[in-house]
């Protein structure tokens, strides 16, 4: 991988900046499958990967190991193996008509594309359990709403900026709301509260009425 930039992030972390989204996915996949000495944790984001160092690690030495890991990263994404997580959706969101209009397609076509492709959790953030899901083939990139909402209900299914997401809890938000689901994204009673994590594969399905 050429063009990888590594910057210090405080005294216990490094910020990795791959040259593009494909390289980011390949690098994240490599770091998830192969342990790098001196790395305690990785946190992918939209354009970067934050690497937290183990106590006592030499940042320069770890940076060199990370460059070697990046150089050997095979093309492809950071996708879990096994069956995808299925999330039934009621496509009744208030912004469904506007989202379809912005895309220049019908509401039914939007629904068919959203439920017809497999999505991949690129990274998490904003709120616990909030996963940024990608499916470039679906071609459902829409801008955020003109005005954010002060309270988006938990379970709202939304689109914005090339991503889809499910709001895990009631919170402010500015994404285009296209539906809702009864699937719980964040549950503290589960061994792993978050349903989605980076690498998770998701299929949306039209929910039975």
């Amino acid at each position: 991988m050429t063009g990888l930039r590594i910057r210090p992030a405080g005294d216990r972390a490094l910020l990795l900046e791959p040259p593009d989204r494909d390289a980011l996915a390949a690098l994240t996949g490599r770091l998830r499958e192969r342990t790098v000495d001196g790395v305690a944790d990785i946190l992918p984001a939209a354009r970067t990967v934050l690497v937290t160092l183990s106590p006592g690690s030499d940042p320069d030495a770890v940076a060199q190991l990370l460059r070697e890991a990046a150089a050997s990263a095979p093309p492809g994404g950071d996708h879990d193996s096994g069956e995808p997580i299925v999330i039934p959706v009621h496509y009744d969101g208030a912004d469904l008509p506007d989202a379809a209009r912005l895309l220049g397609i019908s509401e039914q076509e939007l629904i068919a594309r959203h439920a017809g492709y497999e999505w991949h959790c690129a990274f998490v953030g904003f709120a616990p359990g909030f996963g940024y899901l990608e499916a470039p083939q679906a071609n459902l990139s829409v801008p955020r709403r003109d005005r954010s909402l002060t309270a988006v209900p938990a379970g709202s299914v939304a689109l914005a900026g090339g991503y889809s997401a499910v709001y895990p809890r009631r919170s402010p938000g500015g994404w285009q709301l296209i539906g809702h689901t009864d699937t719980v994204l964040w549950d503290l009673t589960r061994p792993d509260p978050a349903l989605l994590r980076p690498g998770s594969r998701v299929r949306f399905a039209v929910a039975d009425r």
Side-chain angles (χ1 to χ4, degrees):
M1 179 185 299
T2 59
L4 174 66
R5 302 176 68 181
I6 301 179
R7 302 172 183 268
D11 57 358
R12 286 199 52 207
L14 297 169
L15 189 66
L16 281 56
E17 300 178 348
D20 53 44
R21 298 284 292 274
D22 290 342
L24 172 66
L27 174 62
T28 304
R30 173 60 82 194
L31 296 181
R32 276 167 38 85
E33 71 181 14
R34 179 179 296 182
T35 301
V36 174
D37 289 343
V39 172
D41 189 29
I42 66 169
L43 182 62
R47 297 287 185 273
T48 61
V49 182
L50 181 67
V51 173
T52 301
L53 307 181
S54 303
S57 298
D58 178 352
D60 292 337
V62 175
Q64 180 57 37
L65 293 175
L66 290 168
R67 292 189 187 282
E68 294 171 5
S72 65
D78 175 28
H79 299 180
D80 284 348
S81 58
E83 295 297 317
I85 297 166
V86 177
I87 299 180
V89 178
H90 300 274
Y91 286 96
D92 55 3
D95 300 321
L96 180 62
D98 281 346
R101 178 182 55 78
L102 288 167
L103 291 164
I105 60 177
S106 68
E107 295 176 27
Q108 289 305 312
E109 176 64 19
L110 189 158
I111 294 168
R113 291 189 196 178
H114 192 256
Y117 288 91
E118 184 174 285
W119 296 74
H120 159 242
C121 183
F123 59 99
V124 297
F126 172 61
F130 191 101
Y132 289 76
L133 306 175
E134 293 181 313
Q137 320 91 301
N139 195 22
L140 292 178
S141 181
V142 294
R144 294 167 57 92
R145 295 168 54 94
D146 292 337
R147 292 185 177 181
S148 296
L149 301 174
T150 57
V152 176
S156 294
V157 179
L159 294 170
Y163 297 103
S164 186
V166 180
Y167 282 79
R169 66 183 183 187
R170 183 180 176 88
S171 65
W175 291 35
Q176 307 275 354
L177 307 181
I178 63 170
H180 77 277
T181 181
D182 297 324
T183 300
V184 177
L185 274 289
W186 180 258
D187 183 352
L188 288 174
T189 66
R190 293 192 297 232
D192 187 351
L195 181 65
L196 305 180
R197 61 184 179 82
S200 293
R201 297 158 53 219
V202 172
R203 273 201 178 276
F204 294 105
V206 178
D208 296 333
R209 296 291 180 184

